[in-house]
Amino acid sequence: MAKRRAAGSCCCCPMKEDNARFCLLAGLILLYLLCGAAIFSALEHPFELRARLLWKQQLDNFTRRYRVNLGALHTLLRQYEEANGAGIRVDALRPRWDFSGAFYFVGTVVSTIGFGMTTPATIAGKIFLIFYGLIGCAATILFFNLFLERIITMLAYIMRWCHERRLRCAGVGVVSSREESSGEEDSLEGWKPSVYYVMLILGIASVVIACSASTLYSSMENWSYVDSLYFCFVAFSTIGFGDLVSSQRQQYESQEAYRFGNCLFILMGVCCIYSLFNVISIVIKQTLNWILGKLVCSGKPKRIKRNAVQPISSHHRYTDGSVETVCDSETDAGALAEVQVGRRLSGEMISVNEFMVSNKVSLALLQKQLSETAHQGPRQSYSHQNGFSGGVGALGIMNNRLQETSVDR
């Protein structure tokens, strides 16, 4: 009973750490919003005041010159705003709801860009959009996550290939090491690219795509290069203000090639930026853990481990939302379970794959397992005697229950 009370008291520690991390992140985001609002207000508010004054002067000059009633002019302008919402512009633009225009619209819906230049006007269209976007956005987010996993796997293959090439150039055989893997040719165990390396690769790819797309947009849309870069970030990050939208004029030179290139650039840019945001969120989480460690446990030493992103390979198996990694020859299963639990408690950066899978784990099961495997050291001594392994996830909790029963007997 005493052990169970101790486990219950220790179970609150992960919850307190999560609550502290959540409150710290919420406070930092609020501070970030306040600073951003102050900066943008200082930059844009004077321009807004000048634009309002200029518009008032233009209205006064127009009414005096053409002797038009100001109220009637305002009525006409309101009617134009309604027509503008339906896609009517003064300049000739491409049709909004032919097949190509509708395809461009659904692309902005499922990618969550939502430029806003085209919106459904009928009740049936609005209702259909709700269900269509619900499924389409979820499927597209899954596609982005799988894209990130493929990037990590590709980097792991490249690292292994470069290593084997260096061995061949040095005259060292690689066949023997492949035979020792006992038929596991596609194993990527040990080839784990650093999360900072993945962030660098994605950042470089995003910059290259944005610069190439900006060159295309500045020549085809007659935008400045800065406006083109601005549009690329707004579109690739799925912010989608809609003040600048590509491929909207009725005619272009090499129109079909330009529209294909526009869709290709947006697809690649959204994939890279979304993956980059995921990796940066891991770095932010690691920074929050470091700040909490300094605030709460400033005097407690911590072990420094290599931050790595786990590639996709046959050496991973998923059990109830937790990730188990096959042990190396020098590491037994108990040490691996202790390392995995220690990583979560110490706040060390986990892999992108583990970060995605961990969101599906039940919080109650995870806290119970952490408290029982990390805070009750003596339990590991008799686990080997009874033949029960520590395990990870729900399997670890069941093994701990079997250990308690065997010890009580």
Side-chain angles (χ1 to χ4, degrees):
M1 293 297 294
K3 289 182 178 179
R4 292 182 180 178
R5 287 196 203 96
S9 62
C10 294
C11 183
C12 299
C13 295
M15 176 67 78
K16 291 180 179 179
E17 291 182 1
D18 291 338
N19 291 337
R21 187 186 299 113
F22 174 78
C23 294
L24 178 60
L25 180 60
L28 291 177
I29 290 177
L30 179 60
L31 180 62
Y32 192 75
L33 293 175
L34 293 175
C35 294
I39 293 174
F40 279 111
S41 178
L43 292 175
E44 301 294 335
H45 188 59
F47 178 79
E48 179 188 12
L49 295 178
R50 290 195 299 269
R52 286 179 180 273
L53 181 60
L54 178 61
W55 174 245
K56 187 176 181 303
Q57 292 175 354
Q58 289 176 343
L59 280 179
D60 294 339
N61 294 334
F62 185 85
T63 54
R64 283 197 304 266
R65 181 176 181 180
Y66 296 99
R67 298 179 181 180
V68 178
N69 183 269
L70 185 60
L73 182 59
H74 283 165
T75 303
L76 178 62
L77 292 176
R78 291 191 189 96
Q79 292 174 352
Y80 174 73
E81 289 178 355
E82 295 176 359
N84 191 41
I88 306 301
R89 301 292 189 273
V90 175
D91 298 327
L93 298 179
R94 60 181 290 184
R96 296 304 175 92
W97 291 110
D98 61 348
F99 184 79
S100 60
F103 186 81
Y104 193 87
F105 167 74
V106 296
T108 61
V109 170
V110 299
S111 62
T112 70
I113 297 176
F115 286 124
M117 80 289 181
T118 304
T119 56
T122 62
I123 297 178
K126 293 176 181 178
I127 294 176
F128 177 72
L129 175 64
I130 295 175
F131 297 98
Y132 185 84
L134 183 66
I135 299 175
C137 292
T140 306
I141 290 175
L142 175 62
F143 173 79
F144 291 156
N145 290 333
L146 295 178
F147 174 81
L148 178 58
E149 292 180 357
R150 300 287 82 75
I151 291 293
I152 296 170
T153 305
M154 181 188 68
L155 292 178
Y157 274 116
I158 292 175
M159 291 173 61
R160 190 180 69 178
W161 179 82
C162 292
H163 177 71
E164 292 175 354
R165 183 177 177 84
R166 283 197 298 267
L167 290 180
R168 290 192 188 96
C169 294
V172 180
V174 193
V175 181
S176 59
S177 62
R178 285 295 183 88
E179 292 177 351
E180 292 176 359
S181 63
S182 64
E184 297 174 352
E185 309 145 4
D186 294 333
S187 171
L188 297 177
E189 182 65 24
W191 305 102
K192 304 175 183 179
S194 168
V195 68
Y196 302 107
Y197 180 65
V198 176
M199 184 171 62
L200 177 63
I201 295 297
L202 289 173
I204 293 176
S206 301
V207 170
V208 170
I209 294 173
C211 291
S212 303
S214 299
T215 304
L216 176 66
Y217 294 141
S218 60
S219 61
M220 299 298 292
E221 300 288 348
N222 295 326
W223 296 339
S224 66
Y225 196 78
V226 175
D227 286 343
S228 300
L229 282 176
Y230 162 79
F231 165 76
C232 288
F233 177 77
V234 170
F236 296 168
S237 60
T238 69
I239 296 175
F241 288 129
D243 51 346
L244 294 176
V245 182
S246 61
S247 186
Q248 293 303 302
R249 293 210 304 264
Q250 195 169 13
Q251 291 294 332
Y252 290 95
E253 296 181 5
S254 304
Q255 180 167 295
E256 300 301 327
Y258 170 63
R259 289 183 176 177
F260 175 76
N262 176 50
C263 293
L264 186 63
F265 274 127
I266 291 179
L267 176 63
M268 293 190 302
V270 170
C271 288
C272 289
I273 291 294
Y274 180 88
S275 302
L276 183 62
F277 285 170
N278 272 341
V279 178
I280 292 176
S281 67
I282 300 177
V283 178
I284 293 176
K285 185 177 181 181
Q286 175 68 11
T287 305
L288 292 177
N289 292 336
W290 179 80
I291 294 175
L292 289 176
K294 290 294 184 180
L295 295 177
V296 179
C297 306
S298 56
K300 187 175 180 180
K302 293 185 178 181
R303 292 179 296 177
I304 300 177
K305 299 181 181 178
R306 183 173 71 90
N307 298 324
V309 177
Q310 178 66 43
I312 310 300
S313 68
S314 60
H315 284 255
H316 290 82
R317 57 182 180 269
Y318 303 90
T319 306
D320 293 336
S322 61
V323 179
E324 296 183 6
T325 310
V326 177
C327 304
D328 295 331
S329 58
E330 301 177 356
T331 311
D332 58 5
L336 177 60
E338 181 182 357
V339 168
Q340 289 177 338
V341 172
R343 288 173 65 185
R344 287 175 171 86
L345 291 179
S346 62
E348 183 194 351
M349 187 175 301
I350 62 177
S351 69
V352 172
N353 198 18
E354 294 177 42
F355 176 75
M356 295 174 182
V357 175
S358 63
N359 293 329
K360 306 175 184 177
V361 183
S362 170
L363 184 59
L365 292 178
L366 183 59
Q367 292 169 350
K368 197 172 185 67
Q369 180 205 355
L370 291 178
S371 62
E372 292 182 354
T373 56
H375 295 289
Q376 296 187 15
R379 182 170 294 172
Q380 296 178 357
S381 60
Y382 56 76
S383 63
H384 297 285
Q385 298 175 4
N386 297 328
F388 301 119
S389 61
V392 177
L395 181 60
I397 299 173
M398 182 184 68
N399 288 336
N400 291 335
R401 287 288 175 263
L402 293 175
Q403 293 167 10
E404 291 177 357
T405 305
S406 61
V407 170
D408 293 338
R409 291 178 181 175

